[in-house]
Amino acid sequence: MYNLPGDPAGFAQYGRFNNPTWDAVEEILGHLEAAPAVAFPSGMAAISATFFSLLKGGDRVLLPSDGYYTTRVLAERFLKPLGVSFDLRATTAYLDGGFDGYRLVFVETPANPGLDLCDIAAVAAAAHAAGATVVADNTTMTAYGQRPLDLGADIVVAADTKAPGGHSDVLFGHVASRDDAVIAAARDWRKLSGAIPGPFEAWLVHRGLETLEVRFDRMCSSAETIARRLREHPKIEAIRFPGLEDDPSHALALAQMDRFGFLIGVTLASQEAAEGFIDRCALIQPATSFGGVHTSAERRARWGDAVAPGFVRLSVGCEPVEELWSAIEQALG
Ligand SMILES: Cc1ncc(COP(=O)(O)O)c(C=O)c1O
């Protein structure tokens, strides 16, 4: 709480309403997004704020069938009972079937974990023509790698838990938009629902953002090197990385992404092969998150994602790339 004598207008009033450390981190996030940003205690809190501040009973939402699964569970468990229906569509097929009748069209590209892409500009144009608001989850890319608002999306949501925080020690999220009404609604939702970020977490993310550009650059460059080598490795049965010329998403990635990201999807022969690889590699941390300075990996089928049992999502960190490759090669061998 703050010292608040007399007329409260114009002062910090109460910690659920405002906080100077939120202001500081929102200023940097807003600078990165070139749009006002509202801070939240996690990526899901940012996504929830968007849903619950904009949707009402009778609305229809389109969600990716292959994106981060918790967004779909949230819709099933908490939007549906309020009378908000939703449909699922594969990210590569997002333009198929049009957007008539949707209040909100939610894209996630590259989708986590399969790394398929959709054309944000084309989706935004068609969705706007149908009267829908377009929300882009930009967690896998950050504003350094892809700029959905410049491509026509109305709202960006992101888990700053990942590369922006960058040190695997904080959860955080934000909503960014150039629409003042969206920002005002997100702020109201935060204040009234009480889903507020802690000041210490805001400070950690502020500190992380100071180095995001150099970390992201290093991680993306290393991922390009490692993806090329993994593609040639006999133990790798399939690989997805938008930066590879033969990846089905490559042409679109070149057109709409500034970098190819730091996530690589690799498929090994089996669950045992995938788990053995993760456990044996001295420079891979087994973890269900990504975007940290340390390389991490996870066998995604353990959460029920529609991927092969041997599919591993590899998040390339900031280690020296040759040492990292040696450790990966040794673990695969
Ligand atoms: C694409 C995507 N969006 C949102 C989230 C949710 O972020 P948080 O765990 O900070 O709530 C995640 C988390 O993995 C994610 O991968």
Side-chain angles (χ1 to χ4, degrees), residues 33-67:
E33 298 283 5
V38 186
F40 284 93
S42 67
M44 286 316 301
I47 291 170
S48 301
T50 307
F51 287 168
F52 290 100
S53 67
L54 296 183
L55 297 171
K56 57 182 184 334
D59 285 343
R60 241 172 103 207
V61 175
L62 184 64
L63 297 175
S65 56
D66 49 346

Side-chain angles (χ1 to χ4, degrees), residues 48 52 72-84 86:
S48 301
F52 290 100
R72 296 193 292 279
V73 177
L74 174 69
E76 175 68 32
R77 182 76 180 75
F78 289 106
L79 291 184
K80 219 158 116 180
L82 295 176
V84 176
F86 70 95

Side-chain angles (χ1 to χ4, degrees), residues 44-302:
M44 286 316 301
I47 291 170
S48 301
T50 307
F51 287 168
F52 290 100
S53 67
L54 296 183
L55 297 171
K56 57 182 184 334
D59 285 343
R60 241 172 103 207
V61 175
L62 184 64
L63 297 175
S65 56
D66 49 346
Y68 182 53
Y69 72 103
T70 309
T71 308
R72 296 193 292 279
V73 177
L74 174 69
E76 175 68 32
R77 182 76 180 75
F78 289 106
L79 291 184
K80 219 158 116 180
L82 295 176
V84 176
S85 57
F86 70 95
D87 297 315
L88 300 177
R89 204 178 275 180
T91 292
T92 50
Y94 237 56
L95 282 164
D96 303 347
F99 303 107
D100 281 348
Y102 289 110
R103 163 74 183 91
L104 194 149
V105 170
F106 189 99
V107 299
E108 186 185 307
T109 173
N112 170 24
L115 303 182
D116 273 328
L117 266 54
C118 70
D119 184 332
I120 298 174
V123 168
H128 287 159
T133 296
V134 178
V135 181
D137 183 333
N138 206 30
T139 299
T140 52
M141 288 313 293
T142 85
Y144 281 116
Q146 177 170 265
R147 308 194 60 80
L149 297 177
D150 293 345
L151 295 167
D154 303 288
I155 302 171
V156 159
V157 291
D160 298 309
T161 307
K162 317 295 176 186
H167 296 75
S168 312
D169 52 10
V170 63
L171 279 94
F172 212 74
H174 73 269
V175 172
S177 176
R178 294 170 187 158
D179 180 334
D180 293 342
V182 165
I183 292 296
R187 286 193 191 286
D188 278 353
W189 171 260
R190 182 174 66 183
K191 174 175 163 177
L192 299 174
S193 70
I196 59 163
F200 181 68
E201 284 74 9
W203 176 78
L204 281 174
V205 171
H206 188 279
R207 175 169 271 204
L209 287 168
E210 303 275 4
T211 55
L212 174 59
E213 185 184 11
V214 286
R215 286 186 286 106
F216 186 72
D217 181 45
R218 168 73 161 251
M219 287 153 64
C220 293
S221 299
S222 295
E224 286 183 37
T225 302
I226 285 173
R228 282 184 202 295
R229 295 180 189 178
L230 285 172
R231 182 178 52 184
E232 309 307 327
H233 198 285
K235 292 277 170 64
I236 301 300
E237 301 203 330
I239 181 163
R240 290 302 307 269
F241 179 69
L244 293 174
E245 295 73 15
D246 48 355
D247 190 273
S249 297
H250 185 63
L252 183 53
L254 278 174
Q256 80 177 8
M257 289 154 64
D258 297 319
R259 298 299 302 261
F260 298 119
F262 52 81
L263 293 177
I264 304 172
V266 286
T267 305
L268 284 86
S270 63
Q271 170 174 346
E272 293 69 31
E275 285 171 357
F277 164 61
I278 295 170
D279 291 346
R280 271 194 306 276
C281 185
L283 290 182
I284 291 180
Q285 306 291 329
T288 186
S289 193
F290 55 84
V293 289
H294 301 291
T295 294
S296 64
E298 171 169 58
R299 196 183 68 83
R300 284 303 296 189
R302 68 179 178 175

